[in-house]
């Protein structure tokens, strides 16, 4: 780490490895895990620090607009956030049902383990329900409009069709919520968001929420920032390409979702027939003594086939389909971020044009236009960086998902083979 | 073991051909003709092979042969023919008699029929059967000349219903097998659906790979394996049809077995009728001889009313009756003997059949299990290949 690149003073989080020891000499022997300083001493101000935010509430890097992307590049070179360098761990587990007079709902335990300075304690354990996650996501979208916020599992379920309190539904939701928090944890900017911090640590989240509502009325500008009402002439090529990619991507995922559902449906219909098929062999065996042994054997084998098939269909429903749907939701929210970016760029171009039309010779570009330019460049940089990270994660996620699908099918055949 | 024809002669139904011709009502019809090839099995000397004889037969001629055998050997469980019309079909299989897959399976079934007959210790020696295999022209006339149709008991069909009511147990086996065949067809149908839908993955993975950089190759090649998977079901189910055909043969065999039992019951019925007839005649004779009327008869009444017969008349009647009685007793004896012989030989053949069917069915079930294992192994192979492709994404 001694020979590593010097980090910018106001840029974001560092991995512990990269941090130079204040007492470090050139010799490496004195560097050891025991001498690694606590993050409190060295961690520079986080991006999420309120001092650095714009008047409208948007937190922004005060150094050059490109810094967050170059920062990310550096981190990516270091194989960012693998097990050893991570300093924040979040898990969602232990779903519990709560029955109150007004309603019944499920809470999940959110456990946090961290060495970061932003957290007062190294460990936290709180209980949260779905609306809390939903609140968090909205807050993140508001406060980090230039970033891609991971999706939540679907909010509404048709009552009567899906049992909100069934084990399978709750478990599927829990996995998705866990994924959601982990994705935020992995993000170099989002994980330092103050709302995220409160979500993980506050005993009474509702009190904080109410406080936030009061502040919102003061931040009328933030709404304006997001809905500019300007029209963009043309999207830059690279973002147009991203847009097109997302369109095709979500289309293909939708198709895969339908195919997977169809397969499950066909498998269940096959199962129905198999359930009738097996016992007939038993009946036959009852009528013919000499053949009863092999016939009973066939019957039992078919029974095992049924069990294995049921397991396969269940696993596909619970593990495979939700991830597909999650990515479709992700694509949708990403397209919205692209649109917001367009808005920001449109505003900048409009203001620039307005200035150009004024005949006064101004040596200096007005700060208003400068600010817009900043915003555009920030947005572009953040978005690009996030897209790269998203692409990488997506590749890994799908690799795992599809390998999982192949595995489940292999296991099914192995189970049937074993009994045959 | 007896020297059956199957050991002396190689028999195959090697080809099937579509033909058009004119039927009995001079209307044009299309039918399929099957080529029967026979070759004498000789101990190989100088590696010489005997020449192959061949002739063409259509399904109706096979039917004629089987009817002849059933009538001529009522105590034998005659091997069944493959189904006349496609039954127990599932959506992919055609119910059309002209469909090439159906024709192919029928060809195999007909060959199987001939081999079964040729391996039967009694049936293989039949001359009509031999000419069926060797003499194309004039065979039909030869069969009809045997006059077997006269022997065919038309009462058999009419009494079928009565016997079914009396013996419901015989039906249970047949209904179970029929049920099995029906469900199996539905299972095949569903399985077909599952595999074929996977083919859609192939297409969408290919389309998706076009917009991906690193993931593209892995997706594309995995998609190819999904196509292979979807295609594999065709061969798998074709093989399974063979198993279904074996079950069908068993189902029809059960029908043949029932036919033998019914023939026996008819024989019993005839015997009882003959015995009853004889008893009546004996009674009449006695009455006439002693002059006493035991049973009411119109003759008795009229003779009472209109006067009795002359002794000569009475004597003549008695003589006639005595002749009839003697005839009747002889007939009864021979019928009894016939019955006992029938039972003996039928029993022997039923035992033979039982052994054969136990062996055949065990083999069929084993090969079915082997088919299932092979299907699983193929499945594992394809998904392992796909997984490999995914891992390279």
């Amino acid at each position: 780490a001694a020979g590593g690149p010097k980090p910018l003073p106001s840029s974001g989080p560092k991995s512990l490895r990269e941090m130079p020891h204040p007492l470090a000499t050139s010799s490496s022997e004195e560097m050891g895990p025991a001498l690694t300083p606590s993050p409190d001493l060295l961690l520079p101000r986080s991006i999420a620090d309120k001092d650095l935010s714009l008047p409208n509430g948007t937190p922004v890097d005060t150094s050059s607009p490109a810094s967050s992307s170059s920062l990310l590049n550096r981190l990516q070179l270091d194989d960012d956030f693998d097990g050893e360098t991570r300093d924040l761990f979040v898990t969602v587990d232990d779903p519990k049902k709560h029955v109150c007079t007004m309603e019944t709902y499920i809470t999940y335990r959110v456990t946090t383990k961290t060495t970061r300075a932003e957290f007062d304690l190294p460990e936290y354990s709180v209980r949260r329900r779905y609306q809390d996650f939903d609140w968090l996501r909205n807050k993140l979208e508001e406060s980090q409009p230039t970033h891609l916020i991971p999706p939540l599992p679907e909010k509404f379920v048709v009552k009567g069709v899906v049992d909100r309190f069934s084990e399978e539904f709750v478990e599927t939701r829990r996995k998705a919520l866990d994924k959601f928090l982990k994705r935020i944890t992995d993000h170099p900017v989002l994980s330092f968001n103050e709302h995220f911090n409160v979500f993980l640590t506050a005993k009474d989240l509702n009190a904080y929420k109410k406080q936030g509502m009061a502040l919102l009325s003061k931040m009328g500008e933030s709404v304006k920032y997001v809905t500019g009402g300007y029209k963009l002439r043309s999207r830059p090529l690279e973002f147009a390409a991203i847009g097109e990619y997302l369109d095709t991507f979500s289309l293909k995922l939708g198709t895969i979702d339908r195919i997977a559902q169809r397969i499950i449906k066909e498998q269940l219909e096959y199962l129905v027939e198999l359930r009738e098929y097996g016992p007939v062999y038993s009946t036959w065996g009852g009528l013919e003594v000499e053949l009863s042994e092999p016939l009973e054997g066939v019957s039992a084998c078919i029974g095992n086939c049924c069990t294995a098939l049921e397991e396969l269909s269940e696993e596909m429903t619970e593990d495979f389909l939700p991830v597909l749907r999650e990515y479709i939701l992700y694509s949708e929210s990403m397209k919205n971020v692209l649109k917001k970016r367009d808005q920001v760029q449109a505003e900048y171009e409009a203001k620039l044009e307005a200035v150009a039309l004024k005949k006064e010779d101004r040596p200096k570009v007005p700060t208003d236009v400068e600010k817009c330019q900043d915003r555009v460049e920030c947005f572009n940089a953040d978005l690009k960086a996030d897209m790269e990270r998203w692409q990488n994660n997506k590749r890994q996620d799908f690799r795992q998902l599809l390998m999982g699908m192949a595995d489940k099918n292999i296991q099914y055949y192995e189970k049937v083979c074993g009994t045959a | 073991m007896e020297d059956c024809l199957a050991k002396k002669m190689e028999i195959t139904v090697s080809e099937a051909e579509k033909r058009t011709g004119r039927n009995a009502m001079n209307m044009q019809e299309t039918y399929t003709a099957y080529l029967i090839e026979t070759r004498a099995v000789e101990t190989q000397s100088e590696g010489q092979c005997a020449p192959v004889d061949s002739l063409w037969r259509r399904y109706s001629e096979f039917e004629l042969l089987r009817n002849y055998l059933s009538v001529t050997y009522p105590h034998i469980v005659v091997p069944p023919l493959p189904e006349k019309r496609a039954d127990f079909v599932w959506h992919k299989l055609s119910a059309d008699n002209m469909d090439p897959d159906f024709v192919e399976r029928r060809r195999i079934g007909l060959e199987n029929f001939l081999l079964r007959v040729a391996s039967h210790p009694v049936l293989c020696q039949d001359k009509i059967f031999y000419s069926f295999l060797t003499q194309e022209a004039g065979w039909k006339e030869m069969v009809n000349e045997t006059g077997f149709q006269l022997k065919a008991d038309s009462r058999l069909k009419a009494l079928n219903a009565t016997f079914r009511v009396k013996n419901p147990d015989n039906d249970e086996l047949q209904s179970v097998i029929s049920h099995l065949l029906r469900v199996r067809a539905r299972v095949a149908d569903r399985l077909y659906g599952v595999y074929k839908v996977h083919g859609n993955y192939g297409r969408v993975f290919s389309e998706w790979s076009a917009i991906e950089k690193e993931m593209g190759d892995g997706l594309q090649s995995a998609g190819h394996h999904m196509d292979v998977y979807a295609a594999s079901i065709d061969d798998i189910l074709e093989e399974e049809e063979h198993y279904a055909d074996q079950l069908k043969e068993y189902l029809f065999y059960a029908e043949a077995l029932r036919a033998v039992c019914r023939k026996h019951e008819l024989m019993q019925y005839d015997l009882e009728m003959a015995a009853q007839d004889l008893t009546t005649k004996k009674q009449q004779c006695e009455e006439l001889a002693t002059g006493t009327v035991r049973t009411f008869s119109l003759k008795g009444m009229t003779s009472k009313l209109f006067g009795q017969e002359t002794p000569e008349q009475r004597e003549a009647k008695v003589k006639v009756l005595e002749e009839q009685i003697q005839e009747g007793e002889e007939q009864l004896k021979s019928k009894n003997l016939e019955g006992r012989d029938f039972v003996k030989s039928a029993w022997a053949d039923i035992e033979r059949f039982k052994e054969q069917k136990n062996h055949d069915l065990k083999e069929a079930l084993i090969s079915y299990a082997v088919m299932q294992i092979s299907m699983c192994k193929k499945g594992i192979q394809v998904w392992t290949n796909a997984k490999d492709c995914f891992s390279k994404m």
Side-chain angles (χ1 to χ4, degrees):
Chain A
K6 284 266 187 291
L8 296 169
S10 59
S11 54
K14 291 286 163 308
S15 65
L16 286 172
R17 260 193 309 170
E18 272 193 300
M19 249 165 293
H21 195 294
L23 306 171
T25 61
S26 50
S27 109
S28 52
E29 290 127 298
E30 286 170 50
M31 281 281 274
L35 295 176
T36 313
S38 84
D40 295 332
L41 298 173
L42 289 176
L43 198 61
R45 289 257 198 85
S46 77
I47 297 175
D49 202 309
K50 281 198 190 115
D51 291 2
L52 302 176
S53 59
L54 292 175
N56 62 13
T58 314
V60 144
D61 207 333
T62 52
S63 54
S64 89
S67 75
S68 67
S69 66
S70 65
L71 165 69
L72 283 171
N73 284 338
R74 241 173 289 139
L75 289 170
Q76 273 159 8
L77 281 171
D78 272 5
D79 195 358
D80 63 327
F81 300 137
D82 63 357
E84 307 132 38
T85 58
R86 200 181 278 186
D87 56 0
L88 176 66
F89 297 87
V90 179
T91 329
V92 177
D93 62 4
D94 190 35
K96 275 202 167 65
K97 197 169 174 180
H98 296 258
V99 183
C100 306
T101 41
M102 293 299 285
E103 53 172 352
T104 309
Y105 59 92
I106 308 270
T107 61
Y108 305 83
R109 180 177 63 183
V110 179
T111 318
T112 309
K113 291 198 170 94
T114 180
T115 52
R116 287 191 185 178
E118 287 73 19
F119 295 85
D120 296 330
L121 302 172
E123 259 191 66
Y124 291 91
S125 180
V126 294
R127 293 213 74 98
R128 297 285 180 249
R129 55 186 291 192
Y130 183 91
Q131 21 169 265
D132 299 332
F133 286 83
D134 197 32
W135 168 88
L136 173 63
R137 190 173 191 282
N138 288 334
K139 281 292 179 221
L140 287 172
E141 270 194 327
E142 265 173 42
S143 54
Q144 318 269 188
T146 64
H147 287 285
L148 303 175
I149 317 292
L152 277 177
E154 277 147 0
K155 188 172 196 164
F156 298 109
V157 276
V158 183
K159 285 188 190 168
V161 176
V162 181
D163 179 10
R164 290 184 300 142
F165 302 110
S166 76
E167 249 184 72
E168 294 85 25
F169 177 79
V170 171
E171 175 57 16
T172 305
R173 208 176 229 203
R174 184 202 65 76
K175 278 190 222 161
L177 294 173
D178 185 77
K179 195 83 187 280
F180 170 71
L181 291 183
K182 284 192 161 73
R183 278 176 172 149
I184 299 173
T185 312
D186 285 349
H187 197 286
V189 175
L190 294 179
S191 61
F192 284 88
N193 184 282
E194 60 158 323
H195 303 298
F196 184 52
N197 187 307
V198 173
F199 177 89
L200 293 177
T201 59
K203 280 295 168 203
D204 183 2
L205 190 62
N206 287 327
Y208 178 78
K209 283 190 202 177
K210 287 192 189 125
Q211 193 187 44
M213 292 299 284
L215 280 172
L216 189 64
S217 55
K218 290 186 194 168
M219 291 197 267
E221 249 187 84
S222 68
V223 179
K224 248 203 233 163
Y225 178 82
V226 174
T227 56
Y230 295 94
K231 201 154 180 213
L232 182 70
R233 261 179 235 133
S234 65
R235 227 182 222 180
L237 270 172
E238 58 186 327
F239 294 108
I242 291 174
E244 272 168 38
Y245 170 82
L246 288 175
D247 280 335
T248 313
F249 178 71
S250 48
L251 211 68
K252 294 306 152 197
L253 283 192
T255 308
I256 293 175
D257 181 53
R258 279 192 299 279
I259 296 171
Q261 278 188 64
R262 176 80 189 277
I263 289 175
I264 290 170
K265 176 171 171 277
E266 296 282 338
Q267 278 173 341
L268 291 176
E269 286 176 356
Y270 173 54
L271 189 61
V272 167
E273 301 298 347
L274 276 184
R275 288 219 170 101
E276 197 183 322
Y277 188 45
V280 183
Y281 279 97
S282 274
T283 312
W284 181 7
L287 293 174
E288 294 210 62
V289 181
E290 302 95 351
L291 295 171
S292 67
E293 207 187 295
L295 289 174
E296 279 299 329
V298 176
S299 180
C301 184
I302 294 172
N304 284 327
C305 198
C306 289
T307 314
L309 187 60
E310 217 178 354
E311 280 167 19
L312 174 65
S313 301
E314 258 173 41
E315 282 172 15
M316 288 298 283
T317 309
E318 284 163 31
D319 299 335
F320 185 79
L321 291 179
V323 178
L324 280 180
R325 295 196 186 127
E326 210 177 81
Y327 262 93
I328 295 174
L329 289 171
Y330 216 157
S331 306
E332 288 310 306
S333 80
M334 284 159 73
K335 282 194 259 186
N336 285 334
V337 176
L338 273 176
K339 284 188 197 143
K340 280 191 224 157
R341 190 218 67 86
D342 288 346
Q343 285 297 310
V344 171
Q345 184 178 332
E347 190 182 337
Y348 166 63
E349 283 174 359
K351 291 202 172 145
L352 196 65
E353 220 179 271
V355 166
L357 285 174
K358 290 189 190 158
K359 289 186 183 151
E360 302 138 39
D361 286 286
R362 282 174 181 244
K364 213 174 122 191
V365 181
T367 31
D368 198 27
V369 177
E370 237 171 32
K371 267 197 208 156
C372 275
Q373 185 184 28
D374 262 1
R375 277 193 217 134
V376 172
E377 287 174 4
C378 262
F379 210 131
N380 288 351
D382 287 346
L383 196 53
K384 263 201 270 188
D386 272 13
M387 266 314 288
E388 248 184 78
R389 130 187 312 279
W390 180 87
Q391 282 284 14
N392 201 38
N393 286 340
K394 170 211 76 181
R395 185 177 64 84
Q396 284 182 26
D397 283 345
F398 274 97
R399 182 175 176 275
Q400 194 184 37
L401 182 73
L402 292 170
M403 279 178 72
M405 170 169 93
D407 255 337
K408 290 182 178 87
N409 277 281
I410 292 171
Q411 279 165 31
Y412 162 72
Y413 279 116
E414 283 179 346
K415 281 181 206 166
V416 176
C417 215
T419 59
Chain B
M1 231 235 107
E2 304 96 38
D3 228 1
C4 55
L5 191 63
K7 294 219 167 112
K8 294 188 251 176
M9 185 191 247
E10 251 177 60
I11 306 171
T12 52
V13 177
S14 51
E15 275 170 51
E17 218 177 68
K18 219 180 202 174
R19 299 261 179 92
T20 44
R22 297 225 166 252
N23 66 7
M25 289 178 279
N26 211 31
M27 283 176 12
Q28 190 159 52
E29 57 165 1
T30 358
Y31 62 91
T32 313
Y34 299 87
L35 183 67
I36 303 176
E37 287 183 330
T38 49
R39 176 177 39 212
V41 172
E42 285 176 7
T43 43
Q44 302 288 296
S45 50
E46 307 142 36
Q48 249 185 354
C49 255
V52 173
D53 276 327
S54 65
L55 47 73
W56 291 89
R57 293 265 185 238
R58 52 186 293 189
Y59 187 83
S60 53
E61 291 174 278
F62 280 86
E63 276 186 305
L64 187 59
L65 172 67
R66 188 172 187 278
N67 287 341
Y68 163 78
L69 290 173
S70 299
V71 172
T72 316
Y73 305 91
H75 56 284
I76 301 282
V77 182
V78 180
L81 285 172
E83 47 190 2
K84 185 159 186 140
R85 257 161 282 282
D87 232 342
F88 308 111
V89 288
W90 50 282
H91 96 274
K92 198 211 163 197
L93 289 191
S94 172
D96 176 19
N97 282 7
M98 289 295 165
D99 179 74
D101 284 333
F102 178 79
V103 167
E104 174 58 19
R105 292 199 347 267
R106 186 182 256 193
R107 182 193 66 75
I108 295 171
L110 291 174
E111 185 178 285
N112 198 42
F113 166 74
L114 292 178
L115 289 172
R116 291 249 194 237
V117 175
S119 338
H120 193 283
V122 175
L123 297 177
C124 71
Q125 296 174 36
D126 187 276
K127 298 238 172 356
I128 297 287
F129 174 60
Y130 188 78
S131 347
F132 179 86
L133 296 172
T134 53
Q135 185 189 326
E136 187 153 13
W139 176 80
K140 253 200 192 150
E141 290 74 14
M142 198 196 295
V143 183
N144 290 330
E145 267 165 34
T146 61
F148 79 93
Q149 273 104 340
L150 300 169
K151 288 194 221 159
D153 207 324
S154 56
R155 293 179 295 163
L156 208 60
K157 284 215 176 104
L159 287 166
N160 269 357
T162 332
F163 289 132
R164 193 167 296 149
V165 169
K166 275 208 237 164
N167 300 308
D169 297 328
N170 284 351
D171 268 316
E172 225 184 312
L173 183 67
Q174 281 182 255
S175 71
V176 168
I177 307 288
S178 303
H179 185 204
L180 186 69
L181 282 165
R182 276 197 305 277
V183 182
R184 192 215 68 88
R186 293 206 300 266
V187 166
D189 205 10
R190 292 298 177 194
L191 189 62
Y192 183 79
V194 171
Y195 270 76
K196 285 299 176 194
V197 179
H198 278 85
N200 292 325
Y201 274 145
R203 193 173 52 240
V204 74
F205 282 171
S206 179
E207 289 166 6
W208 183 10
S209 72
I211 59 169
E212 296 290 345
K213 296 187 203 96
E214 286 164 53
M215 279 168 53
D217 288 336
L219 275 176
Q220 177 87 346
S221 36
H224 163 71
H225 290 297
M226 289 294 99
D227 285 332
V228 169
Y229 182 72
S232 68
I233 191 66
D234 293 308
D235 285 342
I236 289 168
L237 288 176
E238 209 180 284
E239 239 195 298
E240 260 198 38
E241 277 314 307
H242 179 62
Y243 168 70
D245 283 339
Q246 287 175 297
L247 290 180
K248 279 179 213 168
E249 194 202 21
Y250 180 52
L251 182 66
F252 303 146
Y253 246 130
E255 183 65 53
L257 180 64
R258 222 154 45 125
V260 172
C261 296
R262 271 192 234 121
K263 279 175 209 157
H264 177 245
E265 279 164 18
L266 257 178
M267 256 187 178
Q268 282 297 103
Y269 178 78
D270 276 350
L271 196 66
E272 280 169 31
M273 288 297 111
Q276 218 176 314
D277 190 55
L278 192 64
T279 319
T280 319
K281 287 208 162 71
K282 280 187 179 165
Q283 262 181 351
Q284 282 180 334
C285 203
E286 204 195 305
E287 283 165 23
L288 280 174
T290 57
T292 54
V293 181
R294 279 218 208 105
T295 56
F296 175 82
S297 75
L298 192 58
K299 202 130 194 232
M301 282 312 293
T302 50
S303 58
K304 262 206 167 145
L305 289 169
F306 300 110
Q308 293 206 331
E309 304 159 302
T310 62
E312 294 85 17
Q313 282 174 319
R314 224 187 297 143
E315 245 180 71
K317 280 202 186 123
V318 170
K319 245 207 190 103
V320 167
L321 274 173
E322 274 174 358
E323 272 173 34
Q324 283 180 343
I325 287 168
Q326 195 164 20
E327 252 180 65
E329 272 177 351
E330 274 169 28
Q331 259 191 24
L332 198 64
K333 228 190 238 168
S334 71
K335 272 210 163 76
N336 247 324
L337 216 67
E338 219 186 300
R340 278 211 299 274
D341 280 341
F342 184 95
V343 168
K344 208 167 84 182
S345 37
W347 199 248
D349 198 59
I350 289 171
E351 285 299 305
R352 181 205 60 82
F353 165 70
K354 269 196 185 156
E355 234 184 86
Q356 170 201 299
K357 84 123 156 120
N358 282 340
H359 171 263
D360 289 346
L361 283 174
K362 276 187 189 146
E363 251 184 45
L365 289 170
I366 289 171
S367 79
Y368 185 54
V370 169
M371 268 182 238
Q372 299 304 309
I373 291 175
S374 144
M375 176 171 89
C376 288
K377 289 211 170 120
K378 278 189 205 154
I380 291 173
Q381 184 65 61
V382 169
W383 283 104
T384 309
N385 289 342
K387 184 179 173 185
D388 195 46
C389 295
F390 289 139
S391 72
K392 297 195 180 120
M393 266 167 51

